[in-house]
């Protein structure tokens, strides 16, 4: 016999209501503190959107399932003086089908959402106004060569103007490396013998840092990345027009 006491249902309803209120008030704040980046480019913003969506779904499931387990553990625990055998029950076919089908549908929904949104994160501009930069990795630094720039920025930092698409062609002179600036672009591998590509369009000025994310030797920890995003006026005054 399948037992479903009214008190249990009232307790479950109360628990679900409390969990819902908790999620509404805490998940947005949790997303702000736990997000892996503070987006400063359209590509990074797409990654951030995916992060928040997946985080919201997984935290909701965790709170509901964990809360239900906690409730049932307390509500139906053995109490001092209990000597009678508890009611013997069997499962509900509809309930068992439901808790199998619903998680599958949630996973399918998440996979579809990620597949829909991921191209925006990986988008590489084909605009004629895009700046193309050849990035060369080697133990333990990155160097930058600007294509079609009259007066390339000096130094070891990548300097780009705001609101202008940037296309990066990444190669390596030795072992595997990884170019990653979380606030701007997705991670991309530098693999010997091939050229990989990434890109971004910065949406605000500032200095953004990253790190080689592929262990490449004893100096790996010091293989950092600096990207300076400047205004278009500052770029034109220092480095000339964007193209010859």
């Amino acid at each position: 016999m399948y037992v479903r006491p009214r008190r249990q249902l009232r307790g479950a309803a109360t628990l679900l209501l409390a969990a819902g209120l908790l999620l509404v008030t805490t998940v947005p704040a949790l997303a702000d503190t736990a997000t892996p980046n503070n987006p400063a480019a359209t590509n990074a913003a797409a990654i951030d959107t995916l992060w928040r969506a997946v985080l919201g779904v997984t935290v909701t499931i965790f709170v509901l399932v964990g809360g239900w387990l906690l409730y049932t553990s307390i509500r139906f625990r053995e109490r001092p003086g209990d000597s009678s055998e508890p009611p013997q029950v069997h499962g509900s076919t509809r309930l068992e089908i439901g808790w199998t089908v619903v998680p599958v549908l949630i996973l399918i929904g998440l996979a579809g959402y990620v597949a829909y949104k991921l191209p925006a994160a990986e988008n590489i501009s084909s605009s004629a106004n895009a700046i193309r930069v050849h990035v060369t990795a080697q133990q333990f630094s990155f160097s930058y060569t600007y294509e079609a720039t009259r007066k390339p920025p000096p130094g070891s930092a990548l300097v780009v103007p705001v609101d202008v698409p940037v296309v990066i062609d990444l190669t390596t002179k030795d072992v595997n490396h990884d170019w990653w600036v979380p606030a701007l672009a997705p991670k991309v591998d530098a693999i010997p013998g091939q050229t990989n590509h990434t890109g971004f369009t910065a949406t605000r000025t500032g200095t953004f840092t990253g790190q080689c994310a592929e262990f490449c030797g004893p100096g790996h920890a010091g293989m950092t990345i600096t990207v300076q995003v400047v205004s278009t006026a500052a770029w034109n005054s220092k480095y000339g027009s964007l193209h010859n």
Side-chain angles (χ1 to χ4, degrees), residues 158-173:
L158 174 62
V159 183
V160 297
V162 69
D163 295 325
V164 175
V166 177
V167 177
I168 290 178
D169 304 320
L170 180 63
T171 59
T172 176
K173 289 184 177 180

Side-chain angles (χ1 to χ4, degrees), residues 60-81:
T60 300
I61 294 173
F62 174 80
V63 170
L64 293 179
V65 174
W68 179 258
L69 288 174
L70 180 62
Y71 167 75
T72 54
S73 297
I74 297 174
R75 171 67 179 81
F76 301 104
R77 71 189 186 279
E78 183 179 1
R79 292 174 171 81

Side-chain angles (χ1 to χ4, degrees), residues 74-155:
I74 297 174
R75 171 67 179 81
F76 301 104
R77 71 189 186 279
E78 183 179 1
R79 292 174 171 81
D82 287 348
S83 58
S84 60
E85 185 178 1
Q88 301 301 301
V89 300
H90 64 79
S92 165
T93 300
R94 287 184 297 179
L95 184 61
E96 292 174 359
I97 292 175
W99 71 41
T100 300
V101 172
V102 170
V104 171
L105 294 177
I106 291 174
L107 290 176
I108 292 174
L110 278 177
Y113 180 76
V114 170
Y116 175 73
K117 288 290 187 178
L118 198 57
E122 298 179 335
N123 178 57
I124 299 176
S125 176
S126 58
S127 171
N129 294 324
I131 295 178
R132 184 172 291 273
V133 183
H134 301 282
V135 181
T136 303
Q138 65 182 44
Q139 295 174 314
F140 296 98
S141 64
F142 293 95
S143 59
Y144 303 96
T145 302
Y146 301 77
E147 184 178 292
T149 301
R150 190 170 62 194
K151 185 181 178 182

